[in-house]
Structures are given as structure tokens and as C-alpha cells.
Amino acid sequence: MTLNQTDFEYLAKFVLEHSAISLGSDKMYLIESRLAPLCRQYGVANVSEIVASIRQNPRSKLSSSIVDAVTTNETYFFRDAKPFDELAKETLPRIIAKKGARSTLNVWSAACSSGQEIYSVAMMLEDSFPELKNWDVKLYASDISNAMVERTKAGVFNQLEVGRGLPAALLIKHFNRKGESFHVKDYLKGRLQVFPLNLASTWPSLPSFDIVFLRNVLIYFDPVVKQEILQKTERVLAKDGVLFLGGSESTLGLKTKLVREIGKFCPWYRLPSS
Ligand SMILES: C[S@@+](CC[C@H](N)C(=O)[O-])C[C@H]1O[C@@H](n2cnc3c(N)ncnc32)[C@H](O)[C@@H]1O
């Protein structure tokens, strides 16, 4: 049985309320195919039964499985290259020089998916910034999807995943092979704090971040939600902090204090100078 319009509308509203992800009616087929594996997992006959179940019990475990299933978790190591070039060659040298004796550095991957983004940063810091060895460097990663939070914490990747964007030398240096999978070494994992966070909901108290990666997630939200998330990001960005958005994302047309800079390798955002 395929999903009827009423059930689709209920699901779309449910997903919007739980994740702020806005699903147009053109996404009906996509939703059905994303939720199909849950039917097997929860032993129900079809997606309409899933809808019936969450109508009855919207706070069940199934609810978070639905959010997990509809999120798009596409990611890879050193995705889009340019923000990582900007970070290594421009942003970090500038921030390190400005900080002087204040030897702390906080980096946040704010929609981390399975963790490739924050592990890319971790490897870069380890390999290219020996001067940070005695600094208090903290790497934070969060995602709305509990499954992605767990994956990031685990730092375990398959052959296909390590084949996307990760230079062989870094694979050899920073991962242990166990059978068919590749495990990030403990010294990198140990620097990470990973937590669940729905960017569209109220944020907990967070540290002040020198670098924020908020990439390839704003695209799923409507302009009001995007604006609210950017305004919350302003409040956690350090005075000389740097925000990277995804290649197809910008603050254009949104009410935000953030100032766009044309970097050497890619655009980035900062707070206005006081
Ligand atoms: C396409 S991935 C981007 C991953 C990584 N930032 C990158 O650029 O490669 C988008 C991520 O955003 C997460 N996401 C979607 N809605 C979210 C929300 N409301 N709050 C936090 N994360 C969300 C998804 O679970 C998914 O892991």
C-alpha cells in the first residue's frame, strides 16, 4: 500500500516539528523509500502503519527512528576541500597569532553526520599544527540524528567511506584496520565531544567557538528557521571566530549580523568588528 496524501501530510508535519526539515509534496516517494526499512525493523506491513503508530504514540522510539531515516547524511572526508584549505592556510594561522598566550581552541561541527568533517579537522590539527600540542584544543560535534551521534563517537568507517576524500597517508597514519572496517585512533577520538542537538530547537549552554562548521544543513530549512539558527550561531561564535557554511549556502536575504568575507579559498563569516 502506498502512502496516501493525508498520511504524507501528517508525516511532513511531524518531521517539521521534530527537525525543522521541510518536506514538499514532491518528497512523497523519497519519504516512502527512506521509511521502508523501518517497516522491517518495527515489524509493520507498510509506511501507513508507521504513521498510525506515531499518531497513537508520538513520543515512541519510532519517532526518533523516523527523524534518523529522513535526514540526509551525505558527507565525506575533507568535503569540498576549499574550506579545509582556508582553515589550514588562512584561518588557523590568523587565529593562533591573534590568541597569543590564550592557548585554547574550540571547533564545532554543528551537523556532523557520521563524523568525517570533525575527524578531517582533527587530522589537520594533529599533522599541520604542532604549535597546538600544548594548547587546550577541544573538538565538538553534534547532530539531530542519534544514529549519527553514535557513529561519530565510534569513529568507525567502511572501505567506501575511507575511499571518499581521505588521502591514503592519513588513512594509514590515523586509523587501525579491523577486518573490513577502519577505526580512528584513540588520540583523535579522545579530543572529541559528541552530543545530540536539534539546531532548530533551544540550544543548551555551549562554549564560545573559534571555528564553526555549519555546512550542508541550512538547505533543509525554511528561511525563518535558517535565520534563527544563524542568530543562535552568532551568540556562540568567539569574537574572532570563523563560520563556514556549505558551498550552496549563504546568509543572503536573511536577517543576521554575520559579515561575509571572501577568503583566499572560499567565503567565510564573522561577527561585525566592535
Ligand atoms: C548532508 S549532512 C552534512 C554533514 C556535514 N556537515 C557535511 O557537510 O559533510 C546533514 C546533516 O544534518 C543533520 N540535520 C538535519 N536536520 C538537523 C537539525 N534540525 N539539527 C541538527 N542536525 C540536523 C542530518 O542528520 C545530517 O547528518
Side-chain angles (χ1 to χ4, degrees):
M1 191 170 85
T2 55
L3 202 56
N4 64 38
Q5 188 63 29
T6 318
D7 282 350
F8 172 73
E9 281 167 14
Y10 181 86
L11 258 181
K13 189 163 167 279
F14 180 89
V15 169
L16 188 68
E17 281 169 6
H18 284 75
S19 66
I21 296 172
S22 152
L23 298 168
S25 49
D26 57 324
K27 297 286 189 308
M28 181 140 34
Y29 173 75
L30 177 88
I31 289 308
E32 244 189 310
S33 63
R34 292 264 179 99
L35 295 185
L38 290 188
C39 298
R40 286 187 287 283
Q41 194 182 328
Y42 284 84
V44 298
N46 52 48
V47 176
S48 290
E49 283 191 24
I50 286 191
V51 178
S53 171
I54 53 163
R55 275 182 196 272
Q56 263 183 355
N57 187 1
R59 292 182 187 280
S60 64
K61 187 164 177 289
L62 179 58
S63 307
S64 76
S65 300
I66 290 174
V67 173
D68 280 354
V70 298
T71 52
T72 299
N73 306 122
E74 162 72 1
T75 189
Y76 49 91
F77 289 99
F78 298 97
R79 181 173 187 176
D80 300 341
K82 287 180 182 156
F84 292 95
D85 289 338
E86 185 72 26
L87 183 66
K89 300 191 175 111
E90 301 288 316
T91 313
L92 279 167
R94 186 178 60 245
I95 288 180
I96 292 170
K98 272 195 171 164
K99 287 228 172 188
R102 281 178 301 131
S103 49
T104 63
L105 184 77
N106 289 337
V107 184
W108 181 29
S109 165
C112 62
S113 187
S114 33
Q116 285 87 331
E117 185 167 78
I118 199 69
Y119 284 119
S120 300
V121 175
M123 288 182 276
M124 175 197 292
L125 295 180
E126 175 71 20
D127 293 344
S128 306
F129 293 90
E131 63 270 46
L132 294 178
K133 278 270 181 300
N134 297 320
W135 281 43
D136 180 13
V137 176
K138 293 210 175 76
L139 304 181
Y140 297 83
S142 63
D143 201 280
I144 192 174
S145 158
N146 290 324
M148 290 302 116
V149 167
E150 291 313 314
R151 280 222 49 202
T152 302
K153 279 185 190 166
V156 177
F157 300 94
N158 64 30
Q159 186 87 55
L160 201 74
E161 289 164 335
V162 296
R164 295 186 71 197
L166 184 64
L170 297 191
L171 176 62
I172 293 164
K173 183 168 180 194
H174 297 298
F175 292 74
N176 290 318
R177 183 171 191 160
K178 292 187 185 160
E180 293 301 296
S181 53
F182 298 83
H183 297 231
V184 175
K185 289 189 180 168
D186 286 344
Y187 58 81
L188 290 186
K189 257 187 0 183
R191 278 183 208 158
L192 240 63
Q193 298 193 31
V194 194
F195 55 98
L197 177 64
N198 176 358
L199 291 167
S201 70
T202 309
W203 291 8
S205 153
L206 292 171
S208 170
F209 295 109
D210 300 295
I211 294 150
V212 176
F213 280 81
L214 178 65
R215 300 194 310 148
N216 305 302
V217 64
L218 290 181
I219 36 169
Y220 300 109
F221 308 134
D222 66 31
V224 173
V225 176
K226 282 185 201 186
Q227 198 162 285
E228 285 167 359
I229 294 174
L230 288 171
Q231 289 169 356
K232 286 185 273 190
T233 308
E234 290 165 14
R235 297 199 277 275
V236 298
L237 202 58
K239 186 170 139 290
D240 294 312
V242 167
L243 166 70
F244 291 106
L245 298 180
S248 64
E249 294 163 329
S250 81
T251 58
L252 212 67
L254 303 172
K255 212 190 272 172
T256 167
K257 287 198 285 200
L258 293 163
V259 178
R260 186 172 193 260
E261 291 281 353
I262 306 297
K264 190 165 174 194
F265 299 92
C266 70
W268 52 274
Y269 296 83
R270 63 168 173 83
L271 294 173
S273 323
S274 45

